[in-house]
């Protein structure tokens, strides 16, 4: 028995001119058999996720046969057409958006004019986020544009994560994934060193097993994350010893996430062969006017 066709859409009630990304509208449709749109162009980004059924999407001279779990992207001013299957017409949700940050958001999601298709059948959050955008506009209110933009960014994040998972654990994609994870670890430690963070907290924050992260990090850098974090803290303290003469040794140690000043002094000597006090005095003598 064929599903009853329907079409529903909800538009943004309030535009935010200064926003980097403006979500225009969202909707859902169970199409009729062989329902066709195009060839035509849009002046905004339009993204569909197929919930059920099948259909054809044509763009850039290529024909894509799509089914449940597929996403297809339409870029502004791109000539496209899409048509639902005669026997099993598709049901899909969509979101339209524009703004100066929209191209970067699309690229971050792993979609483009040359790669307009994504297969995310295993990700149940993606269709839900489309629906949340639609409901934001359906319920209305002055906060609707902000909510919709937030859901759109979460949607891009889901696509990005799904693409990374689909890359698997072999070949160039795996190497790229490892490099990306390595940069995440370095960024995390470089921004959190001043706090009493632990490698366990970092691993949990990034969503990886501690042992796996430690092995990956040491394989690429030659040191463990623990050693990297300690060296980062000591190097930052060394800079502060030169530049912040008004701070005590204890204050500098605390400022780089080391609450025990004796431990800090011991580790400073380990890396630089002298105590923090001796290093500071040497720097003062060096900078003293002759």
């Amino acid at each position: 028995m064929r599903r009853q066709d329907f079409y529903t859409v909800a538009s943004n009630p309030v535009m935010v001119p200064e926003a980097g990304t403006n979500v225009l509208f969202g909707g859902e449709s169970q199409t009729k058999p062989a329902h066709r749109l195009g060839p035509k162009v849009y002046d905004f980004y339009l993204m569909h996720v197929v919930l059920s059924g099948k259909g054809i999407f044509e763009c850039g001279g290529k024909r894509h046969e799509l089914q449940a779990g597929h996403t297809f992207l339409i870029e502004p001013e791109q000539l496209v057409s899409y048509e639902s299957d005669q026997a099993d017409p598709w049901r899909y949700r969509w979101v339209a958006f524009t703004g100066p940050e929209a191209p970067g958001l699309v690229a971050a999601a792993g979609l483009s004019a040359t790669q307009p298709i994504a297969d995310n059948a295993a990700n149940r959050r993606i269709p839900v986020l489309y629906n949340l955008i639609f409901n934001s506009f359906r319920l209305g209110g002055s906060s609707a544009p902000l909510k919709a933009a937030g859901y759109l960014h979460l949607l891009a994040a889901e696509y990005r994560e799904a693409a990374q998972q689909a890359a698997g654990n072999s070949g160039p994609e795996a190497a790229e994934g490892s490099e990306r994870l390595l940069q995440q670890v370095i960024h995390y430690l470089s921004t959190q060193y001043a706090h009493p963070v632990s490698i366990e907290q970092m691993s949990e924050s990034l969503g990886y097993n501690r042992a796996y992260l430690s092995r990956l990090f040491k394989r690429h850098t030659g040191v463990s994350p623990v050693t990297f974090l300690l060296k980062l803290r000591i190097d930052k303290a060394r800079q502060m010893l030169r530049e912040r003469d008004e701070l005590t040794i204890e204050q500098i140690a605390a400022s780089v996430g080391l609450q025990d000043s004796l431990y800090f002094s011991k580790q400073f000597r380990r890396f630089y062969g002298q105590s923090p006090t001796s290093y500071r005095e040497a720097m003062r003598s060096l900078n003293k006017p002759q």
Side-chain angles (χ1 to χ4, degrees):
M1 180 178 177
R2 188 171 69 83
R3 305 177 188 90
Q4 181 65 41
D5 55 85
F6 69 89
Y7 174 92
T8 181
V9 65
S11 296
N12 192 338
V14 182
M15 296 301 291
V16 184
E18 67 274 15
T21 305
N22 266 310
V23 185
L24 304 176
F25 55 86
E28 180 176 342
S29 177
Q30 170 61 64
T31 61
K32 297 178 180 180
H35 172 73
R36 181 177 178 86
L37 288 166
K40 62 186 300 185
V41 298
Y42 298 92
D43 61 0
F44 47 78
Y45 286 92
L46 185 58
M47 205 158 60
H48 293 70
V49 61
V50 182
L51 304 177
S52 61
K54 297 183 292 185
I56 301 295
F57 174 59
E58 296 177 327
C59 69
K62 294 183 178 180
R63 173 186 171 94
H64 306 274
E65 297 183 3
L66 307 180
Q67 59 187 4
H70 280 122
T71 291
F72 61 98
L73 169 74
I74 300 171
E75 294 204 327
E77 311 307 329
Q78 182 182 41
L79 184 64
V80 299
S81 62
Y82 44 111
E83 182 177 348
S84 64
D85 189 72
Q86 175 67 46
D88 189 12
W90 54 18
R91 176 182 176 183
Y92 48 44
R93 290 175 181 160
W94 64 85
V95 58
F97 55 97
T98 187
E101 293 180 5
L105 191 64
V106 168
L111 295 166
S112 65
T114 56
Q115 184 58 47
I117 309 299
D119 185 355
N120 308 117
N123 190 314
R124 297 182 179 181
R125 293 184 293 274
I126 285 176
V128 171
L129 286 164
Y130 278 85
N131 198 44
L132 288 170
I133 293 171
F134 168 77
N135 281 328
S136 296
F137 294 151
R138 184 178 62 84
L139 296 173
S142 60
S143 64
L146 295 176
K147 287 181 180 179
Y151 290 136
L152 182 64
H153 280 77
L154 288 174
L155 186 59
E158 288 295 335
Y159 279 118
R160 184 180 183 89
E161 186 173 315
Q164 291 173 355
Q165 291 174 353
N169 296 310
S170 62
E173 295 86 356
E176 183 181 341
S178 295
E179 179 64 27
R180 187 163 45 242
L181 180 56
L182 178 67
Q183 293 305 317
Q184 285 182 301
V185 173
I186 292 174
H187 176 74
Y188 181 94
L189 295 177
S190 298
T191 56
Q192 299 297 317
Y193 72 88
H195 305 285
V197 296
S198 67
I199 304 305
E200 287 83 1
Q201 289 172 323
M202 179 193 70
S203 302
E204 182 178 347
S205 175
L206 297 178
Y208 287 88
N209 175 270
R210 174 190 168 147
Y212 170 75
L213 274 186
S214 296
R215 286 195 304 270
L216 174 74
F217 194 88
K218 190 165 187 177
R219 187 168 70 244
H220 284 270
T221 66
V223 298
S224 69
V226 172
T227 302
F228 179 88
L229 176 60
L230 179 59
K231 182 66 161 51
L232 186 68
R233 285 168 162 166
I234 297 300
D235 285 349
K236 182 63 178 178
R238 189 166 177 252
Q239 178 186 350
M240 294 178 74
L241 286 166
R242 293 195 305 269
E243 300 176 359
R244 300 297 301 273
D245 202 49
E246 79 281 9
L247 298 178
T248 66
I249 300 299
E250 291 77 10
Q251 289 169 338
I252 288 176
S255 297
V256 298
L258 297 172
Q259 303 304 317
D260 186 335
S261 57
L262 291 178
Y263 175 77
F264 163 65
S265 296
K266 179 181 178 181
Q267 296 304 321
F268 192 95
R269 185 183 293 275
R270 171 190 164 198
F271 282 105
Y272 291 109
Q274 61 184 146
S275 70
T277 301
S278 297
Y279 176 78
R280 169 173 270 178
E281 290 174 352
M283 290 300 102
R284 284 172 177 168
S285 298
L286 194 64
N287 296 323
K288 187 180 296 184
Q290 300 298 319

